[in-house]
Amino acid sequence: MTADYNLLILGATPAAIGLAQQARRWQARVALVYLPESWGAIDRDRLLMRCLLKSTSVQEALASGQALYERLELLQGPIALQQQGIDIVASHWKATRSRRVVDCSDRQLEARQIWQAQPTGAEATPLWDLLTADPQPQSVTVTGDRTIAIGVAQALTRHGWDVGLATPAIWSSWEPTIVQRLQAQCQAEGIHLLEQSTRQTDSCELSLNYFQPDPLPLLPGSRAIAANLSPAEVRAIAQHGLFGWPRQQSALAPQQVLEMDPAAAQVGLTEAQARRRYGDRVELVTASWQQHPEALIRDQTAGFLQLCVLNNGRLLGASWVADNAGDLVAPLSLAIQTRRSLPSLLGLWPESSLGQALEQLLADWEVQRNQRSWRRRLLSEWQIFWRSTF
């Protein structure tokens, strides 16, 4: 039996399911094939970590996490996707002679494009296993290169565990100033920052490992779906797969999000990358939430914002630390992609959000840039001379 689809997606990661749903909204014929023994739509440890950060006890977090997990299974499970018109196939797959056909046990599936999801590591649940174990160790080391590791260390520290954090690979791609602030926050909360190479593990110590799995080999003719993609990136992949990518369209600005409290998001170029490309034309603009009225009302004064811009105002990169930082930084990703300048970003955020701080920052930067301009200084001095003389 041969089926004809617009998109054939191999794997059931969150990004793969989001791609299938987005393509189905555009009335595409979509098939999702997943291994019978696994369904990776929900990262159980990430869900439990968020519940721990908001709960007053471990028992409350476990109950909340289990309830949310069961509800999300109903909303994102195979039955729910089938009701949306997505063909769900529980089977192993292998390549065939044709680059557009995949052999799935009892039938062959043919599609115009084949996308293969890369593993996320969400299938392993060391945090869930730790909280449900008896007895529970009091000394824990969190290691790995997945961004969830920092949030797990924060959650365990706030509930009384002695936690060591050995995740140097996570910090390597972030702005050094952002890393210093976030590491200082971790140390202030009682987390011991360790070096991966020199870490010594006690016999009574438990290690929670959050390492990104090795990429899977791709079937001939298929394309890879990365482990963690933003909704904008998933939408771009769906557009590319169904309609083709316009030649003049540039790639999306890379976006990274650290799962912690408060969250941290980074998009575009870092300062080092920008200076290698543009030299002394690069400027850094920084703002804090300490004096922002909305942040004081919400008691979220721990965050800050840092922009990397050219001296003509074009935005190159941004780092944002605040609750829901991944959502707040999304318009900046679009601004970097479309080569927009800072003054053109005013008005993109509602007045009731922390976007007010960004708008105030942009306004202050515009004033400072005008003051640095020799034409502006000459005009100001001429006006002062005119008023004092006549």
Side-chain angles (χ1 to χ4, degrees):
M1 177 179 178
T2 301
D4 186 18
Y5 297 99
N6 298 109
L7 292 182
L8 176 60
I9 303 172
L10 307 177
T13 64
I17 292 174
L19 175 60
Q21 291 175 325
Q22 181 62 61
R24 186 55 195 158
R25 293 188 191 103
W26 288 334
Q27 304 303 313
R29 298 184 303 275
V30 184
L32 181 70
V33 184
Y34 73 99
L35 299 177
E37 65 273 9
S38 67
W39 179 268
I42 305 171
D43 193 337
R44 199 168 187 177
D45 269 15
R46 175 178 279 108
L47 187 65
L48 182 56
M49 177 264 293
R50 293 177 178 176
C51 292
L52 277 174
L53 291 173
K54 297 180 180 179
S55 303
T56 57
S57 66
V58 175
Q59 290 73 20
E60 179 185 351
L62 284 171
S64 301
Q66 183 63 31
L68 288 174
Y69 181 77
E70 293 174 356
R71 179 163 179 80
L72 288 174
E73 275 191 322
L74 295 177
L75 297 176
Q76 299 181 354
I79 297 177
L81 296 182
Q82 283 180 333
Q83 294 174 349
Q84 298 175 20
I86 301 172
D87 194 359
I88 304 297
V89 181
S91 171
H92 294 268
W93 60 80
K94 63 181 179 179
T96 62
R97 292 183 179 180
S98 174
R99 297 172 65 89
R100 295 174 52 182
V101 178
V102 175
D103 190 359
C104 296
S105 299
D106 59 338
R107 58 174 175 165
Q108 291 184 341
L109 303 180
E110 181 179 357
R112 296 179 181 177
Q113 285 202 20
I114 301 174
W115 293 84
Q116 184 171 341
Q118 295 300 316
T120 63
E123 297 80 7
T125 57
L127 177 60
W128 193 279
D129 297 338
L130 166 65
L131 298 184
T132 55
D134 188 24
Q136 295 180 348
Q138 295 301 311
S139 180
V140 179
T141 299
V142 182
T143 64
D145 54 2
R146 292 179 56 200
T147 56
I148 185 180
I150 302 176
V152 169
Q154 273 188 319
L156 292 177
T157 302
R158 295 182 183 183
H159 285 273
W161 271 272
D162 182 18
V163 180
L165 181 63
T167 56
I170 295 179
W171 308 111
S172 60
S173 59
W174 283 75
E175 287 278 10
T177 55
I178 306 299
V179 172
Q180 291 176 3
R181 293 197 182 193
L182 296 180
Q183 289 182 343
Q185 178 184 343
C186 291
Q187 290 177 332
E189 295 188 12
I191 300 174
H192 308 291
L193 299 181
L194 309 174
E195 291 293 338
Q196 191 98 3
S197 57
T198 59
R199 179 175 57 88
Q200 300 294 329
T201 304
D202 252 343
S203 59
C204 62
E205 185 183 48
L206 179 66
S207 179
L208 303 185
N209 299 316
Y210 290 97
F211 288 98
Q212 191 69 39
D214 295 330
L216 295 175
L218 295 180
L219 296 184
S222 65
R223 305 182 183 185
I225 306 175
N228 297 312
L229 295 178
S230 66
E233 292 170 324
V234 170
R235 181 182 177 89
I237 290 176
Q239 179 184 3
H240 171 70
L242 297 177
F243 310 114
W245 190 266
R247 291 184 179 180
Q248 66 274 17
Q249 184 73 31
S250 59
L252 287 172
Q255 180 175 335
Q256 304 177 73
V257 179
L258 283 181
E259 298 281 350
M260 54 187 303
D261 184 25
Q266 180 173 278
V267 64
L269 300 178
T270 63
E271 180 187 4
Q273 293 170 342
R275 292 197 183 279
R276 283 196 298 267
R277 185 176 301 183
Y278 299 102
D280 295 337
R281 298 171 56 197
V282 176
E283 299 179 6
L284 288 183
V285 188
T286 306
S288 175
W289 306 145
Q290 295 292 335
Q291 304 300 327
H292 188 257
E294 187 69 22
L296 293 173
I297 293 174
R298 299 187 181 188
D299 194 20
Q300 298 173 354
T301 57
F304 60 93
L305 170 67
Q306 177 176 295
L307 302 180
C308 182
V309 300
L310 286 177
N311 52 11
N312 63 358
R314 178 184 157 195
L315 183 63
L316 300 177
S319 302
W320 201 318
V321 178
D323 287 346
N324 302 321
D327 298 330
L328 293 171
V329 83
L332 297 181
S333 176
L334 178 62
I336 295 172
Q337 178 191 0
T338 55
R339 297 173 175 264
R340 298 184 65 176
S341 62
L342 292 188
S344 65
L345 301 181
L346 296 176
L348 288 181
W349 288 265
E351 294 183 358
S352 59
S353 72
L354 288 179
Q356 275 186 328
L358 176 60
E359 296 197 351
Q360 184 61 45
L361 176 64
L362 300 185
D364 293 343
W365 179 86
E366 181 70 13
V367 171
Q368 294 174 6
R369 188 182 69 163
N370 290 336
Q371 291 175 350
R372 290 194 302 267
S373 171
W374 68 269
R375 292 185 179 88
R376 178 67 63 177
R377 291 199 305 269
L378 182 60
L379 178 59
S380 177
E381 292 174 0
W382 169 254
Q383 290 175 344
I384 294 174
F385 170 77
W386 180 268
R387 285 195 298 267
S388 62
T389 305
F390 303 98

